Amino acid sequence: VSLRHTSTLTDPDLFPHLESTLAVSDPLLLVLVVPQYGRTEVIDNTLNPDFVHKFIMDYFFEERQNLRFDLRLEKPLIGIPGKKCGTVIVRAEELTNCRESVMLQFCGNKLDKKDFFGKSDPFLVFYRSNEDGSYTISHKTEVVKNTLDPVWQAFKIPVRALCNGDYDRSIKVEVYDWDRDGGHDFIGEFSTSYREMSRGQTQFHIYEVVTLLSCLVDSELSFLDFIKGGRSPVAALLTCGSSGPCAPGNPSQPTSLHYMSPYQLNAYAMALRAVGEIIQDYDSDKMFPALGFGAKLPPDGRVSHEFALNGNPQNPYCSGIEGVMEAYYQSLKSVRLYGPTHFSPVINHVARYASAVTDGSQYFILLIISDGVITDMAQTKESIVNAASLPMSIIIVGVGPAEFDEMIELDGDEERISSQGRLAERDIVQFVPFRDYVDRRGNHILSMARLAKEVLAEIPDQFLSYMRTRGIKPGTSPPPYTPAIHPLLTRRVSRI
């Protein structure tokens, strides 16, 4: 996706309050199919951006698939109704079934000097040629500051992004000198092809020379490759918690979110069943540890943020999703719902399981269902950052009318979560508010299907990201997994 002629967005005649130094936009484009589909990166200081980020969509001949493109600016500017503010250019191409990826590294030698003071700040821009002869940007390297002999970092890119599987298709590479104002100086360009690079023809001349240092080809593995090889996310830990204005109260009363109606499932039960019924098909023994948090336990009424739903802290496993549902309903009859909401104990609990199996033979999925505001946010962030290096993913489903701003923050789609200056190694959290997927006509089966589709969509990519970073490949089926039993810690929590 590209934008052109967007100068009217910052036209001083339209926005006289803007300083001349602010006359360039930092655009961000969002592609929306309802609900929001995705967004591009932000490009600084340009009115004619070419976005690198691509959107892969399924095409259906028999459906009308409406797309909406929203342009957002880092500065709070808006166009004037009825006035043309630029053009969105969209190029689409059917993808081939090419699963190769390639790791490339380039260096430069005696590039042209473009800066009056100092040397150049060079970077590379890669373009894929299209079927109509035009070019689409596919990758940008980082900027190497103040040098005419840059060595750019190696980068991995799908071959499909470079040439859509056509090894002889032209690939154009341009070299620029970076400027802070966005007016990057053109140094030169060369053309090559994927076949040429993979054969090791490494000398590409631009005034002096740009050299391809390495070209390592690899095959992109899919989630199904691991399933066939006997590795899959076959361990799930399901948790339910309560806090906030809707949580306390008798579950036998309709005012409670845990209301045990004889006619329909409550939101907690729907979320458990929606996710559990899909996850259990990937579990070899279908034994799920199920925990609760945010309750006073019998007989002494102590507050717990990590208790077994089946009442057995030495062995919290339940047989299948039906066993989890039965344990959930039985726990509602024996415990008293009580805030606050602490996520870190249950995250740390499943992390203990995951830390014992890091060879790729098991992958753990933690489902947290809650209706309240998180009261141990700092500890939860630290737990997630620690867990990001383990074979596990976390799904958080918010139920009820509460505000879920803190839970949204834990979802690393916008900004990678951090704790005490440490960034999470990868994004492992997916949060969704259940109310956004409830069918307005009261069709609970449809509501559960929508929820499951949304919360589980990121699991395969999260699974693959862990396997890739650890260099784990699909192989023969591993020996049967015997789960380690981690008895729940006994602790007393005083109400403050």
Side-chain angles (χ1 to χ4, degrees):
V1 180
S2 303
L3 297 177
R4 293 293 182 267
H5 310 301
T6 56
S7 57
T8 50
L9 290 172
T10 50
D11 191 327
D13 294 332
L14 301 180
F15 302 98
H17 61 286
L18 289 178
E19 298 288 344
S20 60
T21 56
L22 298 180
V24 179
S25 305
D26 296 340
L28 166 69
L29 188 74
L30 294 94
V31 178
L32 292 100
V33 185
V34 183
Q36 178 176 305
Y37 189 87
R39 61 181 62 201
T40 68
E41 72 279 11
V42 176
I43 299 181
D44 296 334
N45 298 324
T46 179
L47 300 175
N48 298 283
D50 293 311
F51 297 104
V52 174
H53 183 81
K54 305 296 187 296
F55 302 95
I56 299 176
M57 302 179 180
D58 292 324
Y59 166 74
F60 300 100
F61 168 77
E62 68 279 10
E63 294 182 13
R64 181 175 183 178
Q65 297 172 268
N66 293 321
L67 300 179
R68 191 179 88 211
F69 296 85
D70 283 3
L71 174 64
R72 306 284 178 84
L73 303 178
E74 293 293 280
K75 308 177 184 71
L77 305 178
I78 58 174
I80 293 180
K83 181 160 183 79
K84 183 176 179 181
C85 293
T87 302
V88 177
I89 302 172
V90 180
R91 292 186 174 90
E93 184 175 1
E94 183 178 2
L95 294 178
T96 62
N97 187 27
C98 177
R99 295 173 56 186
E100 287 184 355
S101 63
V102 61
M103 180 81 76
L104 298 171
Q105 185 175 25
F106 290 85
C107 71
N109 180 33
K110 298 181 181 179
L111 296 181
D112 198 18
K113 180 177 180 296
K114 291 293 183 180
D115 292 340
F116 186 76
F117 297 104
K119 301 177 182 179
S120 294
D121 304 320
F123 66 97
L124 302 177
V125 184
F126 292 76
Y127 296 88
R128 182 189 72 196
S129 61
N130 301 314
E131 293 173 334
D132 61 359
S134 61
Y135 283 88
T136 299
I137 188 170
S138 57
H139 182 74
K140 284 183 183 178
T141 68
E142 79 283 5
V143 176
V144 181
K145 293 293 190 71
N146 195 32
T147 180
L148 302 181
D149 304 295
V151 178
W152 291 281
Q153 294 179 10
F155 62 93
K156 190 173 186 178
I157 186 171
V159 173
R160 195 165 57 181
L162 278 176
C163 60
N164 202 21
D166 181 354
Y167 293 177
D168 296 309
R169 183 182 293 199
S170 175
I171 299 171
K172 183 172 69 173
V173 184
E174 295 179 343
V175 186
Y176 287 92
D177 168 41
W178 177 85
D179 286 332
R180 187 180 302 276
D181 62 4
H184 311 308
D185 298 318
F186 179 73
I187 295 179
E189 68 178 42
F190 63 86
S191 293
T192 183
S193 68
Y194 175 67
R195 189 183 303 278
E196 187 177 53
M197 289 190 293
S198 62
R199 286 175 174 171
Q201 297 178 12
T202 59
Q203 299 296 319
F204 304 113
H205 291 274
I206 309 172
Y207 297 129
E208 294 295 333
V209 70
V210 168
T211 302
L212 174 62
L213 294 176
S214 64
C215 177
L216 303 176
V217 180
D218 193 11
S219 179
E220 286 291 319
L221 298 170
S222 72
F223 184 69
L224 287 180
D225 289 329
F226 284 90
I227 299 295
K228 294 174 183 177
R231 303 180 190 272
S232 63
V234 294
L237 191 146
L238 313 175
T239 67
C240 299
S242 296
S243 70
C246 299
N250 191 337
S252 64
Q253 299 298 319
T255 54
S256 173
L257 286 173
H258 291 278
Y259 176 50
M260 295 185 291
S261 168
Y263 305 108
Q264 64 184 30
L265 300 176
N266 62 39
Y268 279 88
M270 281 196 285
L272 276 172
R273 185 173 289 281
V275 177
E277 284 186 344
I278 292 178
I279 290 297
Q280 71 177 355
D281 290 336
Y282 296 90
D283 193 308
S284 56
D285 62 6
K286 295 180 172 50
M287 296 296 293
F288 301 116
L291 306 180
F293 59 93
K296 288 185 174 182
L297 306 185
D300 57 356
R302 67 180 178 88
V303 177
S304 176
H305 300 290
E306 185 186 2
F307 63 92
L309 290 183
N310 65 3
N312 184 357
Q314 301 304 316
N315 186 6
Y317 282 83
C318 302
S319 179
I321 189 59
E322 295 302 332
V324 174
M325 300 296 293
E326 181 181 355
Y328 164 63
Y329 286 128
Q330 289 300 319
S331 70
L332 291 178
K333 298 175 183 179
S334 60
V335 304
R336 179 186 169 192
L337 306 178
Y338 191 84
T341 300
H342 290 176
F343 279 8
S344 59
V346 294
I347 296 174
N348 294 335
H349 183 91
V350 71
R352 290 196 293 272
Y353 284 85
S355 62
V357 191
T358 58
D359 61 354
S361 61
Q362 293 288 297
Y363 192 86
F364 296 80
I365 298 174
L366 169 61
L367 169 64
I368 301 177
I369 309 172
S370 180
D371 56 63
V373 176
I374 303 173
T375 50
D376 67 336
M377 190 64 173
Q379 294 89 338
T380 295
K381 284 185 174 181
E382 183 177 6
S383 297
I384 292 174
V385 170
N386 292 335
S389 62
L390 299 173
M392 62 179 286
S393 292
I394 301 172
I395 298 170
I396 304 175
V397 178
V399 298
E403 294 296 327
F404 297 120
D405 292 347
E406 289 178 321
M407 297 186 191
I408 294 173
E409 184 181 345
L410 298 179
D411 192 320
D413 289 344
E414 297 278 332
E415 183 178 348
R416 186 70 59 86
I417 190 172
S418 63
S419 174
Q420 300 180 359
R422 289 190 304 133
L423 278 176
E425 180 180 314
R426 57 196 181 92
D427 175 21
I428 65 169
V429 179
Q430 169 76 334
F431 165 74
V432 296
F434 192 13
R435 60 185 176 230
D436 290 354
Y437 301 92
V438 174
D439 181 63
R440 296 179 180 178
R441 295 166 295 181
N443 187 330
H444 295 312
I445 294 178
L446 183 57
S447 299
M448 289 191 292
R450 289 173 175 172
L451 176 69
K453 180 180 179 180
E454 181 65 21
V455 300
L456 296 174
E458 294 186 5
I459 295 297
D461 286 340
Q462 292 174 357
F463 172 87
L464 289 172
S465 72
Y466 176 82
M467 298 301 175
R468 287 194 201 103
T469 56
R470 299 302 184 274
I472 299 172
K473 305 286 186 182
T476 57
S477 297
Y481 169 64
T482 302
I485 301 298
H486 295 282
L488 303 185
L489 301 177
T490 301
R491 56 170 68 85
R492 293 184 178 271
V493 180
S494 301
R495 187 180 182 185
I496 299 177

